[in-house]
């Protein structure tokens, strides 16, 4: 049996628990391909898994990591479409911080022309999440107004890029001036400095007093009531995390009067079939747009696999803008996009 290197988190704890270890390579199951991983994207849920607050769903690899880019190394029984050697990126329910990763063939997407493997590794988690929550579930349309909290984060950047590319007007929140400039560069029309400005007042001003059509919120508890206040009639709030706390009190009268919808979901435990549908929609609607440099993923920094602890410490410091990526088995000549 062949072995591989991966990042282990032992009994869990701070970033320093992350260590290189050896285990058996996964075998691709029915409909899966085995990827030789060049780069793995780092996402905030990875930190939650490391400290024991985000266990992998049943059947998923216990290894941290939700997205990878690399080459197809083997085909499982019945795996369609890909050939050995194809360069792909993939959404995975776990197993990304490793030299090899098995993934349903339908969750792989081609590396878009002009993008490095490092940039491609930064695509799947945020693209699947934003597409599902903002466009499928909250039904954002061209001409509508949209607020994404934390526009300088991984999810936030993709949400700004996608919403503005599809013709929505984008308002976002950011923690400081440098991040605000970054958000404007990414395509936001206006940025609220959330530490000293009220986003509800800014939303009303931004929408000419009408309120916003869609809000994407990862702050949760302390923001939900204010999201609702900032909302237009028939507005939709998609909640994807609770970085500020899990408990909220809302004025139900406002919810009814605005005919508002509050939607919540987590991507990781969704079915193989559901994620395959999202992959197909992204390939049709978003992948062609990635030819535009302004819509390509922004890689803030690349760390070696051995430096996963540094990558997690950076993520938790919140000083990054865009995405953090781990170089697992980078290919010679692959620009890392940073
Ligand atoms: N439900 C799902 O399916 C799903 C999928 C993927 C990710 N997520 C969640 O989405 C969240 C973001 O993930 P990520 O990888 O994009 O993390 P990230 O890159 O660290 O971004 C986090 C963002 O949150 C912002 N933020 C923190 N506190 C805020 C506040 N009080 N007001 C406004 N913004 C605030 C930060 O803004 P500043 O840096 O400007 O302060 C930062 O831009 C995580 O909690 C993750 O678990 C959920």
């Amino acid at each position: 049996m062949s072995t591989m290197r991966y990042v282990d988190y032992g009994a869990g704890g701070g970033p320093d628990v992350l260590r290189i270890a050896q285990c058996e390579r996964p075998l691709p199951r029915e409909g899966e391909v085995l990827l030789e991983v060049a780069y793995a994207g780092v996402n905030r849920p990875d930190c939650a898994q490391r400290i024991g607050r985000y266990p992998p769903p049943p059947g998923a690899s216990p290894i941290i990591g939700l997205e990878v880019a690399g080459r197809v190394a083997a085909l499982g029984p019945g795996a369609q479409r890909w050939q050995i050697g194809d360069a792909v990126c993939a959404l995975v329910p776990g197993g990304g911080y490793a030299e090899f990763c098995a993934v349903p063939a339908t969750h792989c997407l081609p590396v878009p022309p002009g993008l490095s493997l490092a940039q491609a590794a930064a695509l799947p988690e945020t693209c699947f999440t934003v597409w599902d929550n903002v466009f499928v579930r909250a039904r954002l349309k061209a001409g509508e107004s949209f607020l994404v909290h934390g526009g300088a984060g991984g999810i936030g950047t993709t949400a700004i890029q996608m919403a503005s590319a599809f013709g929505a007007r984008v308002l976002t929140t950011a923690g400081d001036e440098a991040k605000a400039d970054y958000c404007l560069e990414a395509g936001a029309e206006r940025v609220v400095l959330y530490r000293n400005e009220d986003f509800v007042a800014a939303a009303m001003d931004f929408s000419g007093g009408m309120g916003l059509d869609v809000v994407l919120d990862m702050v949760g508890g302390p923001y939900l009531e204010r999201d609702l206040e900032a909302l237009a009639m028939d507005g939709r709030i998609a909640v994807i995390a609770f970085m500020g706390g899990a408990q909220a009190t809302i004025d139900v009268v406002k919810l009814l009067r605005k005919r508002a919808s509050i939607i919540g979901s987590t991507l990781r435990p969704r079915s193989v079939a559901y994620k395959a549908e999202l992959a197909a929609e992204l390939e049709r609607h978003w992948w062609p747009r990635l030819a535009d440099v302004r819509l390509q993923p922004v890689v803030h920094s690349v760390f070696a696999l051995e430096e996963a602890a540094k990558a997690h410490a950076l993520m938790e410091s919140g000083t990054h803008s865009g995405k953090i990526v781990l170089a697992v088995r980078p290919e010679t000549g692959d620009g890392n996009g940073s």
Side-chain angles (χ1 to χ4, degrees):
M1 176 61 68
S2 314
T3 60
M4 66 173 185
R5 293 178 333 131
Y6 76 101
V7 176
D8 187 72
Y9 61 103
D16 287 345
V17 299
L18 298 176
R19 293 258 188 284
I20 296 289
Q22 294 272 344
C23 70
E24 286 180 2
R25 282 184 197 179
L27 287 172
R29 297 174 291 197
E30 180 73 31
E32 290 185 341
V33 294
L34 182 70
L35 301 183
E36 180 175 351
V37 177
Y39 293 89
V42 175
N43 294 280
R44 207 160 262 269
D46 303 348
C47 303
Q49 179 168 343
R50 191 201 71 227
I51 58 178
R53 294 215 190 118
Y54 195 47
S61 164
I63 297 172
I64 298 179
L66 300 173
E67 60 187 349
V68 294
R71 289 194 185 269
V72 175
L75 304 172
Q80 306 274 323
R81 180 175 179 181
W82 307 107
Q83 309 294 321
I84 289 175
D86 283 350
V88 298
C89 57
L91 181 77
V92 297
Y97 292 13
E99 291 181 313
F100 291 87
C101 182
V103 54
T106 50
H107 298 178
C108 297
L109 287 152
V111 172
L115 265 68
S116 66
L117 284 168
Q119 285 177 299
L123 283 169
E125 175 70 8
T126 66
C127 288
F128 279 69
T129 302
V130 173
W131 183 261
D132 187 28
N133 285 282
V134 176
F135 295 95
V136 178
R137 310 192 77 232
R139 306 178 315 281
L140 181 69
K141 291 184 277 302
E144 288 194 322
S145 55
F146 172 61
L147 165 65
V148 53
H149 288 297
I155 295 280
T157 305
T158 300
I160 293 172
Q161 290 170 321
M162 279 190 174
S164 58
F166 288 117
R169 297 185 55 221
V170 182
L171 173 70
T172 189
T173 54
D176 61 39
E177 294 279 0
K179 288 186 177 184
D181 288 344
Y182 168 93
C183 293
L184 292 171
E185 186 101 342
E189 193 175 318
R190 174 152 174 206
V191 185
V192 181
L193 290 171
Y194 67 80
R195 296 187 209 279
N196 42 32
E197 210 185 330
D198 174 21
F199 75 78
V200 178
M204 284 304 161
D205 183 47
F206 183 75
S207 61
M210 300 298 286
L212 304 162
D213 297 299
V214 174
V215 179
L216 179 64
D217 186 348
M218 69 276 287
V219 180
Y223 273 14
L224 202 55
E225 168 67 12
R226 289 161 69 204
D227 291 342
L228 192 53
E229 265 178 52
L231 215 58
M233 290 295 291
D234 295 304
R236 293 85 72 194
I237 302 168
V239 184
I240 58 162
F242 43 91
M243 293 173 63
Q247 303 301 318
T249 303
I250 60 158
D251 180 345
V252 176
V253 176
K254 260 181 230 150
L255 183 77
L256 305 187
R257 287 205 177 132
K258 291 194 173 183
R259 294 190 297 267
S261 310
I262 300 175
I263 302 159
S265 74
T266 55
L267 176 67
R268 198 178 187 188
R270 297 305 295 253
S271 69
V272 168
Y274 189 80
K275 290 177 189 168
E277 252 177 66
L278 294 177
E281 287 173 17
L282 281 167
E283 189 169 358
R284 199 160 50 246
H285 299 294
W286 187 241
W287 252 228
R289 301 222 178 213
L290 292 169
D292 182 342
V293 211
R294 289 166 308 171
L295 303 180
Q296 293 175 358
V298 181
V299 177
H300 177 275
S301 32
V302 180
F303 292 91
L305 192 64
E306 296 74 11
E307 297 178 314
K310 280 190 191 164
H312 275 215
L314 173 60
M315 169 66 75
E316 287 174 350
S317 76
T319 53
H320 65 292
S321 302
K323 294 280 299 193
I324 302 166
V325 168
L326 294 176
V328 184
R329 285 163 81 106
E331 294 182 0
T332 321
D334 181 60
N336 63 23
S338 61

